[in-house]
Amino acid sequence: VGNCRCNVIMDNPEPAKPPIVVYPEECWMCACCTENCPTGAITFEHPISQKVTWKRKETGELFRIGMKNPPEACTKKACGDTNVDLQEVKKVFLKVLETEGMTRFVTRIKFGKTDCEIPEFKAGNFCNIRMGDQVHRGYSMANKHNNDWFELYIDTFANGTGVQYMAALEEGTIVEADMPFGKLRYTPKATPLLLVGSVTGISPIKAILEEELQEEKTGREIKMLFQVWDKEDSFLIDYFDELARQHSN
């Protein structure tokens, strides 16, 4: 239950009872609750409007996941799925090292270790920052792993619980977090790479770029699309321009 990035579900106060769905309209459909459930007690059912449809070319038949009398299932896993192992999630206490307003709606917060090392994470992983009893929010790490610090980019457009908590953080504040979560992984290949990110969604993209250019160094061609609301909302442009100057691919 504690893995949910948006507090869609919460613990039931009655022992052995199912979790309580509090904000179903806020669900991201990421299914991290089922991925990290140790007993398989939580199942996930996508809304009909979001279930994948496909068409059989030979007959023109239309199919939808979850339909009645579906065709025979293909049980072969996607190639990426067979290589992803979930890492051990650990509770850590982090110290706020820096806070910086990047644009009118984006804030960067740099967290450092306290009395323990930062758990190893992969580019694309996220952490849950705890903001009180059964209140937490998930944010993607925006740099490749190191043992001393990591940074997050916070979208402050909506003035919700998470935004208010993160905006009030000051240098030196100690926060509690659970990490790492997520199945997003970077797979080094020789084929061209297209990365697409919008506003703070650039966080895992930045981490993937650092992992490729600083560690993997495959030399593959890389193109990136970074979308923001308006020109005044651009950030990290100098950073990415410098990467482009340093790396010809």
Side-chain angles (χ1 to χ4, degrees):
V1 171
N3 295 333
C4 178
R5 303 180 74 169
C6 297
N7 285 135
V8 172
I9 54 179
M10 64 177 289
D11 291 319
N12 196 313
E14 297 185 38
K17 293 291 186 179
I20 299 173
V21 180
V22 186
Y23 303 110
E25 69 280 0
E26 296 292 332
C27 182
W28 289 9
M29 314 299 172
C30 67
C32 66
C33 53
T34 60
E35 286 181 4
N36 292 280
C37 179
T39 64
I42 300 178
T43 57
F44 189 88
E45 184 72 17
H46 278 83
I48 291 178
S49 61
Q50 296 190 17
K51 289 185 176 179
V52 175
T53 59
W54 73 97
K55 182 177 182 179
R56 184 168 288 164
K57 288 184 178 181
E58 295 79 6
T59 63
E61 296 173 279
L62 292 174
F63 301 95
R64 185 193 297 271
I65 291 179
M67 64 183 290
K68 292 183 178 180
N69 304 315
E72 184 178 353
C74 174
T75 58
K76 182 179 179 182
K77 290 186 176 181
C79 59
D81 192 40
T82 60
N83 299 319
V84 175
D85 294 320
L86 293 176
Q87 297 146 276
E88 179 184 359
V89 176
K90 298 181 180 180
K91 179 184 292 186
V92 294
F93 291 91
L94 305 165
K95 182 178 182 179
V96 177
L97 301 179
E98 298 176 11
T99 63
E100 178 186 7
M102 305 296 288
T103 70
R104 54 180 177 165
F105 296 133
V106 176
T107 297
R108 181 184 72 92
I109 303 179
K110 183 177 180 179
F111 293 93
K113 65 182 182 181
T114 52
D115 57 348
C116 59
E117 298 290 333
I118 292 176
E120 182 178 358
F121 61 85
K122 303 292 185 182
N125 283 164
F126 68 92
C127 64
N128 275 342
I129 303 293
R130 295 200 168 272
M131 305 173 178
D133 185 25
Q134 296 197 38
V135 178
H136 54 264
R137 293 292 184 271
Y139 301 96
S140 296
M141 278 73 83
N143 57 284
K144 69 181 184 68
H145 176 264
N146 68 68
N147 293 325
D148 299 321
W149 63 270
F150 65 86
E151 61 184 12
L152 306 177
Y153 290 91
I154 313 300
D155 184 344
T156 60
F157 179 77
N159 192 31
T161 300
V163 169
Q164 293 176 25
Y165 178 87
M166 300 297 275
L169 292 179
E170 298 179 348
E171 293 183 18
T173 304
I174 304 298
V175 301
E176 181 182 346
D178 299 306
M179 61 183 296
F181 293 103
K183 277 191 172 183
L184 176 61
R185 295 288 190 278
Y186 173 61
T187 303
K189 297 180 180 179
T191 53
L193 176 64
L194 174 62
L195 299 170
V196 181
S198 176
V199 196
T200 54
I202 200 65
S203 297
I205 303 302
K206 178 175 176 290
I208 288 172
L209 274 174
E210 291 181 359
E211 188 171 300
E212 160 59 30
L213 297 175
Q214 298 175 21
E215 293 186 1
E216 301 297 344
K217 301 179 180 179
T218 64
R220 66 192 304 186
E221 179 185 1
I222 301 174
K223 294 185 181 297
M224 186 184 75
L225 175 62
F226 183 15
Q227 180 182 13
V228 295
W229 292 290
D230 209 336
K231 186 176 182 179
E232 65 178 307
D233 300 303
S234 301
F235 63 103
L236 291 175
I237 302 303
D238 292 342
Y239 172 82
F240 290 126
D241 284 345
E242 182 60 26
L243 285 183
R245 283 192 290 268
Q246 293 177 2
H247 304 274
S248 60
N249 55 323

